[in-house]
Amino acid sequence: MEAPAAPHNPAETELTITSPEQMRELGRRLAKLLRAGDLVMLSGELGAGKTTLTRGLGEGLGVRGAVTSPTFVIARVHPSLGDGPPLVHVDAYRLSGGLDEMEDLDLDVSLPDSVIVVEWGEGKVEELTEDRLQIAIHRAVGDTTDEVRQVTLTGLGERWSGADLSALAA
């Protein structure tokens, strides 16, 4: 009788970010690890830095157009200026349903050829793929000017099983 397989431990790392420029730089470094077919889910309070991180991703991926919050248009596609994948930036904050409501965005069609970043995607896009990078950004809430953020990156699925996310701290 074979022993049960060991549970899969996701790749995970925690970082402390102290400024918006550091958050952007984290996005630029993360872009070097990403490839077409990657799904990145961002979570965090309003103003935590999700769009700032995505702006850095866009810079690192070398895509066209200013990366801004797509809150009211729901999704923006930023084509690559080189030979890399396009960036599809989705803000699911105003969407109440799960993947059914997201189907109109054709993310399943875009995923194989793009890097897809979804802000507020929990409970909405997990069915797209078992392989995803979840990034949680935590900040002090309330009346504070504190720029410090705790960022937890968790790689799920085979795609991320051997990833060294701690290298992003460099």
Side-chain angles (χ1 to χ4, degrees):
M1 185 166 165
E2 290 185 23
H8 173 67
N9 293 324
E12 185 171 294
T13 196
E14 293 189 27
L15 306 170
T16 299
I17 303 294
T18 60
S19 70
E21 181 49 42
Q22 280 188 356
M23 186 68 77
R24 230 168 139 159
E25 178 57 29
L26 174 59
R28 288 189 286 265
R29 287 193 314 267
L30 178 57
K32 294 175 184 174
L33 296 179
L34 297 176
R35 61 184 186 217
D38 283 341
L39 172 65
V40 179
M41 292 175 50
L42 300 177
S43 63
E45 298 290 325
L46 288 170
K50 296 178 296 296
T51 300
T52 301
L53 177 69
T54 307
R55 192 170 294 124
L57 279 172
E59 291 168 5
L61 290 170
V63 299
R64 185 177 67 210
V67 175
T68 59
S69 178
T71 300
F72 296 103
V73 295
I74 309 300
R76 284 196 175 94
V77 177
H78 298 276
S80 175
L81 292 171
D83 58 358
L87 172 65
V88 178
H89 184 197
V90 179
D91 186 330
Y93 182 75
R94 297 179 343 151
L95 302 178
S96 59
L99 191 59
D100 291 340
E101 189 173 8
M102 300 288 286
E103 278 188 4
D104 290 341
L105 300 176
D106 287 333
L107 295 180
D108 55 335
V109 173
S110 301
L111 184 59
D113 301 317
S114 307
V115 169
I116 297 181
V117 175
V118 182
E119 297 183 28
W120 306 98
E122 299 80 17
K124 298 174 184 167
V125 297
E126 290 91 340
E127 294 176 32
L128 283 173
T129 179
E130 292 180 8
D131 296 316
R132 61 187 174 274
L133 181 61
Q134 294 183 174
I135 302 175
I137 305 171
H138 302 281
R139 69 175 180 92
V141 293
D143 187 20
T144 179
T145 58
D146 190 359
E147 295 289 340
V148 176
R149 306 293 193 258
Q150 297 301 319
V151 180
T152 304
L153 298 100
T154 306
L156 301 171
E158 188 176 325
R159 158 71 174 100
W160 295 100
S161 65
D164 181 14
L165 297 176
S166 65
L168 293 169

